[in-house]
Amino acid sequence: MNHIVKPYPLTHPYVLEFPQASDMRGHLTYIEPSHDLPFLVRRLYYLYAVPPHARRGGHAHRTLFQCLIALAGSFDVMVDDGFAVTRYTLAQPTVGLILPPMVWRELEHFRPDSICLVLASDEYDAGDYIRDHEEFRRLAGVTP
Ligand code: TYD
């Protein structure tokens, strides 16, 4: 079960910018999920030591909301809502990519030492994944 707290446009991916406190000692970015995200965070995980030619993702989620952040390095995210494909390059720790349910995503072109933090709206549930692209297209209403 998801916990939607804000009436953001929840059917399309979009990018958020988080605040940054900077001084001579460096940068600090902060996120208050109940204010800054369109869902409450019930899980976080991170991808790291991803080989340059590896692809992650390759699935959609039925109900899960996620926010992807490049804490270090950079990588590309291909997002397919069934009708249009959009490509994002995440390269700043102040930027979050919100992925609502029912979008197919592929993560690729990880630069060495990249870290992808994922904030997720629910605990891990293998049954929430759609791993077959044709099934995704049917469920998204693209094909009968
Ligand atoms: P997966 O979601 O397929 O990775 P990605 O989308 O980044 O390519 O997960 C890879 C493996 O890790 C899979 O066996 C399930 C496991 N896993 C968990 O046990 N808990 C989690 O929260 C996540 C995200 C994955």
Side-chain angles (χ1 to χ4, degrees), residues 27-120:
H27 305 293
L28 181 157
T29 286
Y30 46 96
I31 303 170
E32 296 183 349
S34 57
H35 301 126
D36 299 331
L37 297 179
F39 57 88
L40 293 184
V41 175
R42 299 188 73 195
R43 173 170 51 119
L44 59 85
Y45 62 92
Y46 31 95
L47 305 173
Y48 53 97
V50 179
H53 298 296
R55 300 184 101 196
R56 307 287 322 206
H59 55 75
H61 284 283
R62 297 172 198 276
T63 65
L64 192 74
F65 286 75
Q66 293 185 317
C67 175
L68 276 52
I69 303 170
L71 283 191
S74 76
F75 50 89
D76 295 336
V77 187
M78 184 279 287
V79 182
D80 174 6
D81 67 3
F83 296 90
V85 172
T86 310
R87 290 178 190 281
Y88 299 87
T89 296
L90 296 185
Q92 293 165 288
T94 53
V95 170
L97 174 62
I98 303 292
L99 297 180
M102 291 306 294
V103 296
W104 189 269
R105 81 289 310 273
E106 312 258 0
L107 282 67
E108 58 187 354
H109 305 141
F110 281 78
R111 297 193 55 156
D113 299 325
S114 293
I115 301 174
C116 173
L117 173 67
V118 182
L119 310 176

